[in-house]
Amino acid sequence: MTTQPAVHSTPASPREMARAFTPALTELVEDPLYSQVWADPALSPRDRSIATVAAVVALYRAEELPAQLRRAVDNGVTQAELAAIITHIAFYAGFPAAISASAIAARTLLD
């Protein structure tokens, strides 16, 4: 008799993965980050996405980058603008971080 491995669904984002293990952390992300910081009218969602993608690339947060790239596109940032952001950040965060971000962006946005 063969045993089938357990099938686990893959959460859509790092936040969903964190929710399963650290629900209190996820609550902090949802409130105040998304309910207050992202809702602050001082910056548009598009501008916040640009800043967030730049920070995530610079800090090499590979797990978080796909979700932020998708959010940026949803907030009106074009793929050409994301490519320019990644190229720009290479001079401040290093070329390895930018090359890795480019590969992640290609897998996330071009598939």
Side-chain angles (χ1 to χ4, degrees):
M1 178 174 160
T2 60
T3 329
Q4 295 294 323
V7 177
H8 300 283
S9 63
T10 303
S13 70
R15 184 168 32 136
E16 291 302 315
M17 287 186 274
R19 182 186 314 279
F21 194 75
T22 53
L25 175 61
T26 303
E27 287 176 25
L28 290 171
V29 170
E30 291 170 358
D31 185 34
L33 178 60
Y34 288 118
S35 69
Q36 295 174 34
V37 175
W38 273 83
D40 181 347
L43 287 175
S44 71
R46 182 181 187 286
D47 291 344
R48 286 187 193 285
S49 281
I50 290 170
T52 302
V53 166
V56 170
V57 170
L59 295 170
Y60 189 68
R61 301 298 191 248
E63 294 273 336
E64 182 70 20
L65 186 55
Q68 294 303 334
L69 290 167
R70 287 189 293 271
R71 178 183 292 269
V73 169
D74 289 346
N75 285 334
V77 183
T78 68
Q79 288 185 15
E81 289 169 323
L82 289 168
I85 291 164
I86 292 169
T87 302
H88 184 79
I89 292 301
F91 289 90
Y92 296 91
F95 282 84
I99 294 296
S100 295
S102 296
I104 292 167
R107 284 193 303 272
T108 303
L109 301 175
L110 299 180
D111 286 340

